């Protein structure tokens, strides 16, 4: 058997198990990442949904934040869903006091952009570059991308034009959670990026 790339899933908090399950379903080797020695072994990284403020605090407490920033700066392919998108964004709007991000993705993201009324919802989205039916997307206290910087490209938006998925070279972020709706195309596209890197 040929050894394929190893994809890490940041496993400090959030729905990392669901991402590991999708990777397994696609036949990819996924491993949880909680420490620097584990990060060193991976060829790509998924940052799950959860709570960006907690991921920020834990990654700094565990000495992972600086190694993560270094790997991202060196071109590591990274895919962030929801809180993971927030954690990858250069700028966070409605952050809590002192909240930091890893950065790398040239976007400004607003946390909890749908407020209390529309806290969670599902909708269908067309995604640039995907064949087949629209993506069925689950939004859970989700962020939106309010500004797409020069280096990033929007690949999906809601009917009202608000951007909810972006790519930038080896980086990808979605406001929603393909890992919980059986949608495999984002992970497949990410695995292609990992293989090409
Ligand atoms: N609201 C969360 C945050 O700010 C994100 C929610 C999610 O990942 N589903 O990090």
């Amino acid at each position: 058997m040929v050894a394929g790339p190893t994809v890490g899933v940041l496993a400090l908090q959030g729905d990392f198990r669901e991402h590991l399950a999708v990777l397994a379903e696609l036949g990819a080797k996924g491993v949880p990442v909680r420490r620097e020695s584990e990060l060193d072994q991976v060829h790509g990284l998924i940052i799950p949904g959860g709570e960006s403020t907690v991921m920020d605090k834990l990654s700094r407490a565990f000495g992972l934040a600086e190694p993560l920033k270094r790997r991202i700066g060196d071109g590591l392919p990274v895919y962030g869903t929801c809180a993971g998108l927030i954690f990858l964004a250069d700028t966070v709007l409605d952050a809590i006091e002192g909240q930091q991000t890893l950065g790398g993705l040239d976007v400004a993201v607003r946390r909890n952009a749908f407020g209390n009324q529309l806290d969670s919802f599902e909708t269908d989205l067309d995604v640039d570059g995907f064949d087949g039916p629209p993506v069925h997307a689950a939004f859970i206290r989700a962020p939106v991308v309010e500004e797409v910087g020069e280096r990033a490209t929007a690949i999906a938006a809601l009917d009202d034009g608000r951007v909810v998925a972006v790519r930038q070279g080896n980086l990808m972020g979605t406001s929603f959670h393909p890992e919980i709706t059986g949608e495999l195309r984002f992970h497949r596209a990410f695995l292609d990026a990992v293989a090409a890197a």
Side-chain angles (χ1 to χ4, degrees), residues 48-53 81-84 86 99 111-112 140-143 177:
E51 177 48 55
S52 58
T53 57
T81 62
C82 202
I86 298 170
Q99 181 174 359
R111 288 179 64 231
N112 303 328
I140 304 167
R141 295 184 309 283
H177 294 271

Side-chain angles (χ1 to χ4, degrees), residues 10-13 33-36 39 45 47-48 51-69 72 83 87-88 98-103:
L10 190 65
L12 298 173
Q13 188 267 339
V33 169
R34 295 190 180 87
R35 57 191 78 220
E36 187 175 359
L39 179 64
L45 182 75
I47 308 181
E51 177 48 55
S52 58
T53 57
V54 178
M55 275 182 220
D56 165 39
K57 283 184 188 143
L58 292 177
S59 65
R60 283 191 274 149
F62 293 174
L64 257 184
E66 292 308 317
L68 282 166
K69 288 182 198 168
I72 294 169
F87 204 24
L88 261 186
Q99 181 174 359
Q100 299 178 20
T101 67
L102 301 172

Side-chain angles (χ1 to χ4, degrees), residues 9-197:
V9 182
L10 190 65
L12 298 173
Q13 188 267 339
D15 74 338
F16 56 89
R17 291 177 196 84
E18 284 77 359
H19 281 285
L20 288 167
V22 174
L23 291 172
E25 189 172 345
L26 290 173
K29 184 177 177 206
V31 295
V33 169
R34 295 190 180 87
R35 57 191 78 220
E36 187 175 359
S37 58
E38 292 164 340
L39 179 64
D40 290 343
Q41 309 300 314
V42 305
H43 306 101
L45 182 75
I46 293 175
I47 308 181
E51 177 48 55
S52 58
T53 57
V54 178
M55 275 182 220
D56 165 39
K57 283 184 188 143
L58 292 177
S59 65
R60 283 191 274 149
F62 293 174
L64 257 184
E66 292 308 317
L68 282 166
K69 288 182 198 168
R70 262 198 309 277
R71 290 290 312 265
I72 294 169
D74 289 344
L76 181 73
V78 185
Y79 172 32
T81 62
C82 202
L85 162 64
I86 298 170
F87 204 24
L88 261 186
D90 281 344
T91 305
V92 182
L93 309 168
D94 289 338
I96 65 165
E97 201 183 324
Q99 181 174 359
Q100 299 178 20
T101 67
L102 301 172
L105 200 51
D106 185 12
V107 295
V109 168
R110 185 174 300 280
R111 288 179 64 231
N112 303 328
F114 299 95
N116 294 327
Q117 312 254 307
L118 207 61
D119 195 271
S120 300
F121 63 100
E122 298 184 14
T123 191
D124 288 335
L125 294 171
D126 289 321
V127 178
D128 289 351
F130 283 10
D131 294 328
V135 164
H136 187 69
F139 292 79
I140 304 167
R141 295 184 309 283
V144 294
V145 179
E146 284 209 356
E147 285 167 42
V148 180
E150 266 176 24
R151 290 179 295 130
T153 306
I155 58 168
L158 297 169
D159 287 343
D160 63 10
R162 285 189 286 179
V163 173
V164 290
V166 290
R167 285 195 89 156
Q168 175 189 317
N170 280 336
L171 305 179
M172 180 166 72
T174 58
S175 298
F176 48 91
H177 294 271
E179 72 278 13
I180 65 170
T181 53
E183 169 61 56
L184 302 176
R185 286 171 285 180
F186 289 95
H187 291 77
R188 235 183 240 131
F190 179 65
L191 289 172
D192 288 345
V194 174

